[in-house]
Amino acid sequence: MKLKRIGIDLAKQVFQVHGVDNHEQVICRKQLKRAQMLDFFRQLEPCLIAMEACGSAHYWARELRVLGHEVRLIAPQFVKPYVKSGKNDANDAEAICEAASRPNMRYVEVKSAEQQANQALHRIRSRLIRARTALVNEIRGLLGEFGLVEPCLGVAATRRLIQTVLADAGNGLPGRMRELLAELHDELVEHDARLD
């Protein structure tokens, strides 16, 4: 089968393939299971393969390039105008194939595994910062209910506030709250260590 261009709608387990020849005639509409993907493309002559830039697209792009195919990733917002009718996998694959035929289409650079690992590191770090910020706000709110307030904001100011409150036995903080505050302080230290 001689294909000029293929659009693939990616999923977790079942992929939809839409391929056209040099005359833009559809010669391949097929569903592939995950285990069939590489075998199917290994049997084809090298051609242009387009996919939406989504979760697993960079992985599949690297795998298909190893087989000699030219792979291009398209941002989903650039595929959407080419969907002809109702949203389903076959229509999406056709739209991806059509979008890749446009001479002025903009593509997403395929990321290496190392680039994806770095991106994951930044995402996880951002999540940890959000969690630490939520913890700091919770601590400040709980202490505020006991009239213990630090005028400065931020993580460092909250650390100082915790240390000051725990060191001052005469501030009227009940014993149970003092224990909870010590636990929250330990949790904040763990967040800082993880972020480091």
Side-chain angles (χ1 to χ4, degrees), residues 6 18 39-40 55-56 64 66 79 91 107 114 124 128 139 148 153 165 176 185 192:
I6 296 175
H18 182 94
D39 287 337
F40 176 78
S56 63
L64 294 171
V66 168
V79 172
N91 290 341
Y107 298 100
E114 292 78 22
I124 292 167
L128 290 172
I139 292 168
L148 302 166
L153 298 176
V165 168
R176 182 65 186 137
H185 178 264
D192 290 337

Side-chain angles (χ1 to χ4, degrees), residues 59-73:
Y59 164 77
W60 286 111
R62 290 190 303 269
E63 293 294 316
L64 294 171
R65 281 182 173 177
V66 168
L67 299 177
H69 297 286
E70 179 185 352
V71 182
R72 295 186 183 162
L73 302 181

Side-chain angles (χ1 to χ4, degrees), residues 1-194:
M1 179 177 350
K2 177 70 173 151
L3 293 166
K4 174 184 177 184
R5 188 176 62 256
I6 296 175
I8 306 174
D9 183 52
L10 297 173
K12 289 184 178 121
Q13 298 300 328
V14 180
F15 305 88
Q16 184 70 39
V17 175
H18 182 94
V20 297
D21 63 12
N22 287 328
H23 304 291
E24 297 295 323
Q25 297 298 309
V26 178
I27 58 171
C28 178
R29 279 192 186 121
K30 188 176 184 96
Q31 266 192 359
L32 297 173
K33 292 191 173 153
R34 183 180 195 83
Q36 300 171 312
M37 273 284 282
L38 292 177
D39 287 337
F40 176 78
F41 286 99
R42 197 175 284 121
Q43 296 170 18
L44 295 179
E45 291 182 31
C47 63
L48 172 63
I49 299 174
M51 300 176 276
E52 277 187 340
C54 64
S56 63
H58 296 278
Y59 164 77
W60 286 111
R62 290 190 303 269
E63 293 294 316
L64 294 171
R65 281 182 173 177
V66 168
L67 299 177
H69 297 286
E70 179 185 352
V71 182
R72 295 186 183 162
L73 302 181
I74 305 172
Q77 68 265 25
F78 297 138
V79 172
K80 192 173 183 178
Y82 298 99
V83 177
K84 292 179 181 164
S85 55
K87 180 149 176 56
N88 63 45
D89 293 346
N91 290 341
D92 289 351
E94 182 178 357
I96 292 164
C97 189
E98 178 69 24
S101 73
R102 301 302 179 207
N104 295 326
M105 182 55 62
R106 292 183 286 178
Y107 298 100
V108 175
E109 189 67 33
V110 175
K111 291 182 178 78
S112 68
E114 292 78 22
Q115 287 172 315
Q116 283 189 284
N118 285 336
Q119 186 177 34
L121 175 71
H122 289 294
R123 285 179 180 167
I124 292 167
R125 182 170 166 67
S126 292
R127 178 180 54 81
L128 290 172
I129 289 171
R130 286 192 306 274
R132 182 180 67 180
T133 301
L135 177 62
V136 164
N137 289 337
E138 181 179 26
I139 292 168
R140 292 175 67 84
L142 289 170
L143 290 176
E145 291 176 11
F146 291 93
L148 302 166
V149 178
E150 167 66 43
C152 297
L153 298 176
V155 177
T158 303
R159 277 193 212 100
R160 284 192 308 271
L161 177 60
I162 292 171
Q163 291 166 353
T164 303
V165 168
L166 289 174
D168 182 5
N171 57 19
L173 196 64
R176 182 65 186 137
M177 186 58 200
R178 196 172 287 283
E179 291 171 17
L180 289 173
L181 186 59
E183 290 174 13
L184 291 172
H185 178 264
D186 292 343
E187 191 176 337
L188 183 57
V189 169
E190 287 173 20
H191 275 285
D192 290 337
R194 182 100 191 264

